[in-house]
């Protein structure tokens, strides 16, 4: 598969995965772009030991986790209250709230639910996160319960 085709097929899915991690439009775009730079650089080394989508999601997940670790080491200074996030306002309020809730989950849960939302098969999710399929199923169920509870608490439908 050529890079351009991979990019067209996976860009939106990788972007949404990154959004689930950072809940910031610009940061998610940067992370998705960095992911595809890595994919482009390492595509020739891909050994077909897993599906290409699994490989790409693994790269994206690792990239997001590295970014989160960097942010923990170098906390952002508080931005001015007068700066507005204009790009996220285009998202529906419920979707914004969902991204916010996902971003608050522990890292592994963030990966799992973001991949589940992208219709990645549970067997592939298990490979990406290094858990058994049964454990992934249980975690997905529990994560959905957590998110449902947050929506109920917030008055969302």
């Amino acid at each position: 598969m050529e890079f351009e085709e991979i990019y067209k097929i996976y860009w939106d899915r990788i972007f949404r995965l990154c959004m689930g991690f950072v809940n910031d439009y610009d940061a998610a775009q940067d992370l998705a772009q960095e992911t595809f730079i890595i994919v482009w650089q390492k595509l020739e080394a891909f050994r077909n030991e897993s599906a290409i989508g699994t490989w790409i999601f693994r790269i994206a997940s690792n990239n997001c986790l590295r970014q989160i670790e960097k942010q923990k080491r170098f906390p952002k200074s508080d931005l001015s209250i007068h700066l507005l996030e204009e790009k996220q306002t285009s998202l529906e309020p419920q979707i914004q709230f969902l991204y916010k809730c996902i971003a608050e989950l522990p890292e592994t849960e963030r990966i799992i639910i973001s991949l589940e939302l992208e219709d990645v098969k549970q067997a592939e999710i298990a490979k990406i996160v290094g858990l058994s399929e049964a454990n992934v199923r249980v975690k997905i169920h529990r994560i959905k319960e957590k998110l449902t509870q947050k929506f109920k608490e917030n008055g969302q439908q």
Side-chain angles (χ1 to χ4, degrees):
M1 193 179 292
E2 290 189 24
F3 177 77
E4 291 80 13
E5 186 179 355
I6 292 168
Y7 183 85
K8 287 176 186 172
I9 292 170
Y10 290 99
W11 170 260
D12 289 339
R13 298 172 76 188
I14 296 301
F15 171 75
R16 288 188 300 262
L17 175 76
C18 296
M19 255 317 261
F21 271 92
V22 295
N23 192 30
D24 177 288
Y25 185 90
D26 291 329
Q29 281 218 285
D30 290 346
L31 286 167
Q33 287 174 351
E34 289 171 15
T35 296
F36 280 100
I37 289 170
I38 294 168
V39 168
W40 181 72
Q41 291 171 337
K42 300 193 183 250
L43 188 57
E44 289 185 16
F46 177 64
R47 298 185 304 256
N48 289 312
E49 291 174 0
S50 63
I52 192 137
T54 303
W55 180 67
I56 294 168
F57 279 117
R58 183 68 170 178
I59 290 170
S61 298
N62 288 338
N63 196 26
C64 289
L65 290 172
R66 274 193 305 276
Q67 182 62 30
I68 290 167
E69 284 302 313
K70 282 182 197 174
Q71 288 176 345
K72 285 179 184 174
R73 281 183 272 149
F74 304 106
K76 293 180 183 176
S77 61
D78 291 331
L79 291 175
S80 168
I81 297 172
H82 302 291
L83 293 178
L84 299 174
E85 178 60 51
E86 293 178 21
K87 292 186 179 169
Q88 270 199 346
T89 58
S90 66
L91 296 174
E92 293 178 31
Q94 287 182 318
I95 294 173
Q96 281 183 311
F97 185 71
L98 177 63
Y99 282 133
K100 179 183 176 292
C101 292
I102 291 172
E104 293 171 356
L105 293 170
E107 293 165 359
T108 303
E109 291 181 7
R110 252 185 276 173
I111 295 170
I112 292 170
I113 198 63
S114 295
L115 294 171
E116 174 71 9
L117 290 171
E118 290 302 322
D119 293 325
V120 175
K121 292 182 176 98
Q122 291 180 355
E124 288 185 48
I125 294 172
K127 288 178 188 174
I128 291 168
V129 296
L131 298 172
S132 70
E133 281 185 63
N135 197 345
V136 167
R137 275 192 296 279
V138 169
K139 285 190 176 291
I140 288 170
H141 178 73
R142 289 181 182 158
I143 295 165
K144 285 180 179 179
E145 285 178 341
K146 280 184 192 178
L147 293 173
T148 300
Q149 185 61 38
K150 287 186 180 211
F151 268 74
K152 285 179 182 174
E153 290 169 1
N154 193 54
Q156 301 276 339
Q157 295 295 329

